[in-house]
């Protein structure tokens, strides 16, 4: 099973195995990792699942969809590597991906 | 005028709606208030067409069909919806609660059922200076009375259905509409988009893409806005009104100020009758928490049934609560209008 590492804003790390097809948001919620709210349950409608994707992984992600870009406009502290974790689905190519959580969601 | 009622339900999501049923079969009337302009909470706002598989006895439904069914189920009861307004204040007056909405509607009731979900759906505000100064004075997030835009120059921001629908609708009465979007692809229905494009040939609607709102200007009322193109170019537009459709977000909002015991963004309740730390205030559905809570629609239905029982005891202190089946109770069937 592919691995994901979440790094909380304060630096605490969590590595989990996430089955293929699950989103990075779901991995955080199911493992009670703090810092991802996911108020809309993955509908790409709340922007409270914002993560910063580690620079080495950004290029490996599929391209951002229009709907995600629209929501990203609403996150606090948008950066070039900002993504909504509910829109990143686990694939074999993403095995080992690292995401950092923002200070605050929404 | 104060509206007197057995219960005020805050939130017209699935859980609020089913609590209307549970209140109804106990012969209690109620008023339901929601900040959205439509009934259905998350099911309608976030996933109307997506499937739900875990409603007991309903193997398969969608967000929308579930809400339609709930509305059908509560048809027989005395209830009234008050949409497009937020409950801002609650106060205790003797033994009753007073509830005041953002439209200044006032209710008096022994029971408040908070079925507020993850909070009230609120419009997202753009980050521009003086936004607070112009809200309601030329800057709006929704259309309550379209007549107010008659003969005006209106700038509509957004790329979704609301923006497109209102551009078409208001183009019949306004002097001119600017439809401004930060990208060039509109998410709204293709049919409406075609209409917008058709009307834009007459210049009644002017479409401006890759622009964002930068500044608001005006003395007492909004008079002029500054927008910026992605290439840096700045433009000034003389307008009378702006309507901004930047989407919705969920906010606990005023509920946080009612001195209720909170845990993170949820209200702590007991599992005996889902009352909060205030007598006569109940919390059910996604907004409540207790050991073992699951944020599922079915849990909210159960919570509503137990809360309604306590509401009855408080609203009808001189009557006895009698547990009855809908299958066999003549009294309930009379209320339902099936006998
Ligand atoms: C994509 C998605 C899929 C889901 N799938 C399922 C599923 O398969 N099964 C399941 O059981 N659950 C599912 N859920 C969860 C389910 O939708 C929620 O549990 C349910 O909507 C909660 O209902 P509610 O009535 O408590 O609150 P909500 O549906 O959130 O409604 C609350 C309403 O209260 C209003 N409100 C709040 N505060 C105020 C105020 N101060 N004044 C006025 N109005 C106010 C809000 O505007 C809102 O309309 C899903 C959720 C999502 C997002
Ligand atoms: S969970 Fe809401 S946008 Fe990702």
């Amino acid at each position: 099973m592919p691995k994901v590492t979440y790094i909380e804003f304060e630096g605490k790390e969590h590595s989990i195995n996430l089955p293929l097809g699950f989103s990075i948001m779901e991995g955080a919620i199911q493992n009670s990792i703090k810092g991802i709210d996911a108020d809309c349950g993955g509908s790409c409608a709340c922007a409270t699942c914002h993560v910063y994707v580690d620079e080495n992984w950004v290029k490996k992600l599929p391209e951002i969809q229009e709907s995600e870009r629209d929501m990203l406009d609403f996150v606090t502290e948008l950066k070039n590597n900002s993504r909504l974790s509910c829109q990143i689905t686990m694939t074999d190519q993403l095995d080992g991906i690292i995401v950092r959580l923002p200070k605050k969601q929404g | 005028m104060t509206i007197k009622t057995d219960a005020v339900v805050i939130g017209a999501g699935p859980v609020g709606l089913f609590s209307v049923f549970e209140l109804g079969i106990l012969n209690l009337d109620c008023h339901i208030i929601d900040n959205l302009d439509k009934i259905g909470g998350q099911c309608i706002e976030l996933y109307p067409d997506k499937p739900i598989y875990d409603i007991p006895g309903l193997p398969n439904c969608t967000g929308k069909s579930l809400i339609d069914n709930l509305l059908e189920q509560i048809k027989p009861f005395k209830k009234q919806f008050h949409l497009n307004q937020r409950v801002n204040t609650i106060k205790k007056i003797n033994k009753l609660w007073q509830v005041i909405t953002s439209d200044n509607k006032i209710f008096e009731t022994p029971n408040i059922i908070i079925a507020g979900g993850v909070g009230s759906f609120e419009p997202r505000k753009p980050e521009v200076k003086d936004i607070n100064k112009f809200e309601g004075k030329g800057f709006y997030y929704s259309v309550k009375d379209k007549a107010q835009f008659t003969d005006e120059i209106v700038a509509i921001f957004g790329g979704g259905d609301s923006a497109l629908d209102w551009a078409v609708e208001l183009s019949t009465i306004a002097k001119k509409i600017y439809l401004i979007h930060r990208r060039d692809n509109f998410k709204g229905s293709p049919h409406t988009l075609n209409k917008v494009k058709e009307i834009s040939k007459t210049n009644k609607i002017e479409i401006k893409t890759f622009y964002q709102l930068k500044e608001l200007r005006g003395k007492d009322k909004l008079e002029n806005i500054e927008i910026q193109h992605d290439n840096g170019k700045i433009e000034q537009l003389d307008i009378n009104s702006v309507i901004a459709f930047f989407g919705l977000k969920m906010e606990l909002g005023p509920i946080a100020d009612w001195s209720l015991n909170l845990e993170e963004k949820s209200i702590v309740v007991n599992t005996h009758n889902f009352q909060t730390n205030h007598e006569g205030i109940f919390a059910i559905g996604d907004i409540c928490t207790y050991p073992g809570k699951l944020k599922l629609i079915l849990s909210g239905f159960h919570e509503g049934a137990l809360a309604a029982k306590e509401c009855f005891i408080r609203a009808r202190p001189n009557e006895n609560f009698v547990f009855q089946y809908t299958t066999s109770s003549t009294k309930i069937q009379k209320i339902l209008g099936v006998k």
Side-chain angles (χ1 to χ4, degrees), chain A residues 25 38-49 84 86:
Chain A
M25 176 279 278
D39 282 346
C40 79
S43 309
C44 200
C46 71
T48 63
C49 63
L84 295 180
C86 70

mmCIF file of all heavy atoms in Angstrom, chain A residues 25 38-49 84 86, ligand 2:
data_model
loop_
_atom_site.group_PDB
_atom_site.id
_atom_site.type_symbol
_atom_site.label_atom_id
_atom_site.label_comp_id
_atom_site.label_asym_id
_atom_site.label_seq_id
_atom_site.Cartn_x
_atom_site.Cartn_y
_atom_site.Cartn_z
ATOM 1 N N MET A 25 -7.031 13.597 1.758
ATOM 2 C CA MET A 25 -7.917 14.122 2.797
ATOM 3 C C MET A 25 -8.492 12.965 3.611
ATOM 4 O O MET A 25 -8.449 12.977 4.839
ATOM 5 C CB MET A 25 -9.042 14.941 2.141
ATOM 6 C CG MET A 25 -10.103 15.468 3.074
ATOM 7 S SD MET A 25 -11.383 14.285 3.531
ATOM 8 C CE MET A 25 -12.492 14.344 2.147
ATOM 9 N N ALA A 38 -11.952 19.430 6.392
ATOM 10 C CA ALA A 38 -12.794 18.779 5.388
ATOM 11 C C ALA A 38 -14.286 18.914 5.678
ATOM 12 O O ALA A 38 -15.026 17.951 5.681
ATOM 13 C CB ALA A 38 -12.406 17.300 5.244
ATOM 14 N N ASP A 39 -14.711 20.147 5.902
ATOM 15 C CA ASP A 39 -16.110 20.421 6.235
ATOM 16 C C ASP A 39 -17.093 19.905 5.199
ATOM 17 O O ASP A 39 -18.224 19.578 5.522
ATOM 18 C CB ASP A 39 -16.332 21.944 6.365
ATOM 19 C CG ASP A 39 -15.819 22.481 7.692
ATOM 20 O OD1 ASP A 39 -15.544 21.651 8.583
ATOM 21 O OD2 ASP A 39 -15.694 23.707 7.826
ATOM 22 N N CYS A 40 -16.711 19.876 3.936
ATOM 23 C CA CYS A 40 -17.679 19.501 2.905
ATOM 24 C C CYS A 40 -17.556 18.036 2.521
ATOM 25 O O CYS A 40 -18.205 17.580 1.588
ATOM 26 C CB CYS A 40 -17.542 20.387 1.675
ATOM 27 S SG CYS A 40 -16.186 19.933 0.596
ATOM 28 N N GLY A 41 -16.723 17.290 3.227
ATOM 29 C CA GLY A 41 -16.646 15.864 2.992
ATOM 30 C C GLY A 41 -16.067 15.494 1.632
ATOM 31 O O GLY A 41 -16.353 14.429 1.105
ATOM 32 N N GLY A 42 -15.281 16.378 1.048
ATOM 33 C CA GLY A 42 -14.615 16.017 -0.202
ATOM 34 C C GLY A 42 -15.344 16.465 -1.452
ATOM 35 O O GLY A 42 -15.053 15.994 -2.545
ATOM 36 N N SER A 43 -16.301 17.387 -1.320
ATOM 37 C CA SER A 43 -17.049 17.861 -2.491
ATOM 38 C C SER A 43 -16.351 18.993 -3.210
ATOM 39 O O SER A 43 -16.950 19.608 -4.085
ATOM 40 C CB SER A 43 -18.422 18.380 -2.082
ATOM 41 O OG SER A 43 -19.079 17.463 -1.308
ATOM 42 N N CYS A 44 -15.157 19.330 -2.805
ATOM 43 C CA CYS A 44 -14.433 20.456 -3.394
ATOM 44 C C CYS A 44 -15.247 21.731 -3.245
ATOM 45 O O CYS A 44 -15.397 22.506 -4.182
ATOM 46 C CB CYS A 44 -14.113 20.188 -4.861
ATOM 47 S SG CYS A 44 -12.776 21.224 -5.457
ATOM 48 N N ALA A 45 -15.802 21.919 -2.040
ATOM 49 C CA ALA A 45 -16.677 23.063 -1.846
ATOM 50 C C ALA A 45 -16.367 23.854 -0.582
ATOM 51 O O ALA A 45 -17.084 24.780 -0.251
ATOM 52 C CB ALA A 45 -18.134 22.593 -1.792
ATOM 53 N N CYS A 46 -15.304 23.491 0.151
ATOM 54 C CA CYS A 46 -15.086 24.200 1.414
ATOM 55 C C CYS A 46 -13.673 24.746 1.574
ATOM 56 O O CYS A 46 -13.444 25.651 2.352
ATOM 57 C CB CYS A 46 -15.412 23.293 2.599
ATOM 58 S SG CYS A 46 -14.222 21.957 2.842
ATOM 59 N N ALA A 47 -12.726 24.177 0.857
ATOM 60 C CA ALA A 47 -11.325 24.605 0.962
ATOM 61 C C ALA A 47 -10.762 24.470 2.379
ATOM 62 O O ALA A 47 -9.877 25.216 2.762
ATOM 63 C CB ALA A 47 -11.143 26.029 0.439
ATOM 64 N N THR A 48 -11.281 23.540 3.163
ATOM 65 C CA THR A 48 -10.712 23.335 4.504
ATOM 66 C C THR A 48 -9.924 22.025 4.562
ATOM 67 O O THR A 48 -9.780 21.416 5.612
ATOM 68 C CB THR A 48 -11.795 23.335 5.613
ATOM 69 O OG1 THR A 48 -12.679 22.238 5.393
ATOM 70 C CG2 THR A 48 -12.578 24.624 5.625
ATOM 71 N N CYS A 49 -9.392 21.612 3.408
ATOM 72 C CA CYS A 49 -8.528 20.428 3.365
ATOM 73 C C CYS A 49 -7.219 20.804 2.673
ATOM 74 O O CYS A 49 -6.566 19.988 2.060
ATOM 75 C CB CYS A 49 -9.225 19.284 2.641
ATOM 76 S SG CYS A 49 -9.576 19.675 0.918
ATOM 77 N N LEU A 84 -5.776 21.103 -2.669
ATOM 78 C CA LEU A 84 -6.836 20.614 -1.790
ATOM 79 C C LEU A 84 -6.689 19.103 -1.716
ATOM 80 O O LEU A 84 -6.737 18.414 -2.744
ATOM 81 C CB LEU A 84 -8.202 21.012 -2.336
ATOM 82 C CG LEU A 84 -8.468 22.522 -2.351
ATOM 83 C CD1 LEU A 84 -9.849 22.816 -2.898
ATOM 84 C CD2 LEU A 84 -8.306 23.129 -0.962
ATOM 85 N N CYS A 86 -8.512 16.754 -0.788
ATOM 86 C CA CYS A 86 -9.609 15.859 -1.184
ATOM 87 C C CYS A 86 -9.573 15.604 -2.685
ATOM 88 O O CYS A 86 -10.262 14.726 -3.188
ATOM 89 C CB CYS A 86 -10.969 16.414 -0.763
ATOM 90 S SG CYS A 86 -11.509 17.870 -1.663
HETATM 91 S S1 LIG C 2 -12.895 18.632 1.820
HETATM 92 FE FE1 LIG C 2 -13.919 20.433 1.243
HETATM 93 S S2 LIG C 2 -12.740 21.125 -0.408
HETATM 94 FE FE2 LIG C 2 -11.702 19.348 0.184
#
